[in-house]
Amino acid sequence: MPAALLALAISAFGIGTTEFVIMGLLPEVATDFGVTIPAAGLLISGYALGVVVGAPLLTALGSRLPRKTILVALMGLFIVGNLVSAVAGSYGLLMTGRIVAALSHGAFFGVGSVVAAGLVAPERKASAIAMMFTGLTVANVLGVPMGTALGQQLGWRSTFWAVTVLGVIGLVGIITLVPRQPVVDNGGLRGELAVFRDRQVWLALVTTALGFAGVFASFTYIAPMMTEVAGFSPGAVTWLLVLFGAGLFAGNLLGGRAADRSLMPSLYAFLTALAVVLVVFVFTAHSQVLAAVTIAAFGAVGFATVPPLQMRVMRKAEGAPALASAANIAAFNLGNALGAWLGGAAIEGGLGLTAPSWIGALLAASGLAVALYSGALDRRPAHETKQGALV
């Protein structure tokens, strides 16, 4: 793999760490600013909103710039956001820093996916995307636990200082290792937007949102599920999350290799496996050993869907993939929010702490149904597919 992929992975590691580490630092932040835990939790929602807004907006604004230039600018924005968070003297300023950092998130992974795919031979594009997303999976395995421990020992600000340093390292890596690619003449913003006239692009985005809603419907509530249903101690949850993160790492690489060999069959298989694992999790959650094994499998099949989902959008938006790829990152985050909301609604409705896994299985199955329909459209004659395009 090209060395440039390492720079992209390091940057992805920093972005993934800053996205999720706040979950482990909510008590410290709430105490420092004198706000409630739910109010501090809005720092997570604010970040997600920044991703959804920033992904298409910043990608569109940079549609006529060289992609390396866009990546450098996005990492600069990420560094500024985390620097503001590190020195924030008020809750409002911390929220501002979180949103500024989040604006770069979706656009970076969207444009970075296109850059990563362009660094390798056509038959290795999905693996290259998976390599970049490896930084995100390692962030869950190492970055988040280490960042949480650092913040608990030295104060939550130290975590954001550390992430700022990671951002600088990633920026230097991009400047020195990522080759300058020629500006693609795709008609600028109008050319990028034109791909959304194809219903296959929208079907790919819906598949992403539903598939990842399935993941987060269950994952969001994994801590109370493990402590109150499986009987783990609160301290064991950290290690269970590390186990989940190890599954993410393995699944991401597996998904990239499988997608390179056969994209749509791989997507069908992983979405099916995700739905099945979530159904199984409803029952294994009552046993500590079986729950731990299922958590690892859950992480693996959940993140194995990422490379084929990202590759599907890029393939359907061929010619102007950057904006569609960034929109797919926004779809991931919309799925996260949808899944968390539906899982929480099931618990509040009195269905129990394992109910989110049922919800997740239904969402994953819905994503599979959309993917199967999209695949069926691929097999139709070309003139029928054109007639079905959005106008």
Side-chain angles (χ1 to χ4, degrees):
M1 287 290 180
L5 287 176
L6 177 61
L8 294 175
I10 291 172
S11 301
F13 176 77
I15 292 172
T17 298
T18 205
E19 178 181 15
F20 295 113
V21 76
I22 192 68
M23 297 178 185
L25 299 175
L26 290 183
E28 287 77 14
V29 171
T31 299
D32 196 11
F33 290 127
V35 299
T36 64
I37 290 292
L42 291 177
L43 294 167
I44 299 171
S45 302
Y47 189 96
L49 180 62
V51 174
V52 173
V53 172
L57 178 62
L58 295 187
T59 306
L61 290 175
S63 59
R64 290 191 178 275
L65 296 175
R67 287 171 181 152
K68 179 175 180 177
T69 301
I70 298 173
L71 291 177
V72 169
L74 291 171
M75 282 309 296
L77 188 63
F78 173 79
I79 291 168
V80 169
N82 281 284
L83 185 59
V84 170
S85 297
V87 301
S90 68
Y91 173 82
L93 191 56
L94 177 57
M95 177 67 81
T96 300
R98 292 283 293 167
I99 293 174
V100 169
L103 289 173
S104 67
H105 180 127
F108 182 88
F109 280 105
V111 176
S113 294
V114 178
V115 171
L119 293 171
V120 297
E123 66 274 10
R124 301 183 68 188
K125 289 181 180 295
S127 291
I129 293 171
M131 181 61 69
M132 184 188 73
F133 274 90
T134 294
L136 189 60
T137 63
V138 174
N140 281 276
V141 179
L142 297 177
V144 173
M146 291 174 64
T148 300
L150 179 65
Q152 290 172 343
Q153 293 297 317
L154 301 179
W156 61 267
R157 296 177 191 278
S158 64
T159 299
F160 286 102
W161 281 113
V163 173
T164 300
V165 172
L166 283 174
V168 172
I169 294 172
L171 175 62
V172 172
I174 291 171
I175 292 172
T176 57
L177 298 177
V178 174
R180 182 169 292 277
Q181 299 177 342
V183 178
V184 179
D185 185 11
N186 53 21
L189 178 57
R190 180 174 295 182
E192 292 277 357
L193 289 173
V195 302
F196 292 102
R197 298 175 62 185
D198 186 346
R199 65 176 171 181
Q200 285 282 38
V201 172
W202 286 103
L203 289 172
L205 294 174
V206 171
T207 302
T208 294
L210 290 173
F212 243 62
V215 173
F216 268 76
S218 179
F219 177 65
T220 302
Y221 305 99
I222 200 167
M225 191 189 311
M226 291 299 94
T227 55
E228 298 185 34
V229 178
F232 283 102
S233 67
V237 172
T238 299
W239 297 106
L240 291 172
L241 293 178
V242 171
L243 191 61
F244 181 83
L248 295 185
F249 179 82
N252 178 57
L253 296 179
L254 174 64
R257 293 175 182 174
D260 277 332
R261 290 195 297 269
S262 186
L263 178 58
M264 291 308 288
S266 297
L267 184 55
Y268 302 151
F270 291 136
L271 286 173
T272 300
L274 176 59
V276 170
V277 167
L278 285 168
V279 170
V280 170
F281 200 16
V282 173
F283 303 98
T284 59
H286 297 274
S287 165
Q288 290 188 356
V289 174
L290 294 179
V293 173
T294 308
I295 284 173
F298 177 25
V301 297
F303 227 78
T305 64
V306 172
L309 285 169
Q310 192 73 355
M311 195 67 204
R312 176 67 171 174
V313 168
M314 291 171 57
R315 186 170 292 180
K316 287 304 172 184
E318 190 174 3
L323 184 56
S325 180
N328 202 44
I329 302 300
F332 277 115
N333 282 270
L334 284 174
N336 296 353
L338 174 64
W341 176 68
L342 289 175
I347 294 173
E348 290 181 355
L351 299 180
L353 287 171
T354 59
S357 293
W358 282 117
I359 299 296
L362 290 173
L363 288 166
S366 298
L368 173 62
V370 175
L372 288 169
Y373 173 64
S374 179
L377 291 181
D378 284 341
R379 296 187 290 273
R380 289 186 179 181
H383 71 277
E384 292 185 21
T385 302
K386 290 180 180 179
Q387 290 175 352
L390 298 173
V391 293

